Amino acid sequence: MKLPLTIHQARLGPAEFKVIRPARPPARAALSDGRWYLHAQVDQAAAQLIAGLWTLAATSPRSLVHVPLRRARPDAQEPGLDLVLLHHSLQFAPSRWKELRARLGPGRPQTADLPGPASADPAVDPWPERHHKENRDRFHQRVHAGTLFMTGSAKLFADTAWLFADIAHRGPGYVLAHPDHQHYCTRLRPGNGVLAAGSGLHVVYRDQWPD
């Protein structure tokens, strides 16, 4: 999978940070904060792109991966959220994001060549070992400055990229085969051993989008 990117660098005090963005943000994708879950709505192309960026976060532990998604939701008036994926070793505080974001220039173009993440069987638990109470390798979610931050380890990002890959692989076919129930989704649930803090993530395939 070839991903056209832009690479940005900015300094906050003595520290310099590298931010990676898709060269073309997904056109049909939205992220919003709901009552029970954070909700992502994506078409097939957006799901493929975010799956690739999720995989990139696993291989780029010294960078913040920023996916611009903030726009009006298709079914509401309020703005949505952007997405930032980052490795916990960066120890980057989301409270500093607004200042860092304001210092990012146009960036330099680059292409990443990544293997596509595998799609998981939703009937099989992909994380049986994560249910053990000794497991500490979990995501921390935080919403700040109109942005959802997903902070975790390289292994955690690699293990969970299938969430969006599965939507891209199975969503379009499911919607065609089930015209009376066109809801295909994947979830990061608070109780599945993947989240240490946060409300979870509900990823939905959306076939129809307003022009």
Side-chain angles (χ1 to χ4, degrees):
M1 174 185 245
K2 291 190 179 298
L3 283 178
L5 308 168
T6 55
I7 310 299
H8 310 255
Q9 290 183 303
R11 185 172 293 278
L12 287 180
E16 186 173 56
F17 295 95
K18 181 167 123 177
V19 177
I20 302 174
R21 287 171 169 164
R24 294 181 292 276
R28 293 182 171 183
L31 179 62
S32 60
D33 197 351
R35 181 177 180 185
W36 303 110
Y37 282 97
L38 289 139
H39 293 277
Q41 301 177 66
V42 289
D43 71 353
Q44 185 178 40
Q48 289 172 333
L49 174 61
I50 296 174
L53 293 168
W54 209 274
T55 302
L56 181 64
T59 61
S60 305
R62 304 308 303 165
S63 303
L64 293 87
V65 179
H66 175 214
V67 191
L69 298 172
R70 186 172 167 81
R71 57 172 62 88
R73 287 170 49 195
D75 55 351
Q77 297 300 316
E78 69 268 23
L81 302 171
D82 279 354
L83 175 64
V84 168
L85 313 173
L86 66 153
H87 197 271
H88 56 71
S89 65
L90 279 176
Q91 298 184 326
F92 181 82
S95 60
R96 306 182 73 193
W97 171 243
K98 189 174 182 179
E99 183 182 1
L100 178 63
R101 182 177 58 193
R103 299 187 180 196
L104 300 177
R108 56 182 175 83
Q110 183 173 310
T111 299
D113 195 356
L114 296 173
S119 178
D121 183 349
V124 177
D125 185 352
W127 308 297
E129 75 283 0
R130 294 192 178 277
H131 295 287
H132 299 304
K133 64 181 181 180
E134 295 82 5
N135 173 42
R136 296 292 182 268
D137 188 15
R138 301 185 181 189
F139 278 123
H140 288 260
Q141 280 184 332
R142 185 174 171 189
V143 174
H144 184 80
T147 305
L148 167 63
F149 292 84
M150 297 289 296
T151 304
S153 70
K155 184 178 189 315
L156 194 52
F157 280 114
D159 286 351
T160 54
W162 73 267
L163 285 158
F164 286 91
D166 186 80
I167 293 290
H169 292 164
R170 303 176 192 266
Y174 183 92
V175 166
L176 285 175
H178 301 82
D180 297 327
H181 182 68
Q182 297 187 341
H183 183 91
Y184 189 85
C185 67
T186 56
R187 288 184 178 91
L188 281 181
R189 294 183 177 90
N192 66 2
V194 179
L195 288 171
S199 58
L201 183 63
H202 179 216
V203 186
V204 180
Y205 174 73
R206 187 183 179 106
D207 189 40
Q208 301 296 321
W209 291 77
D211 294 331

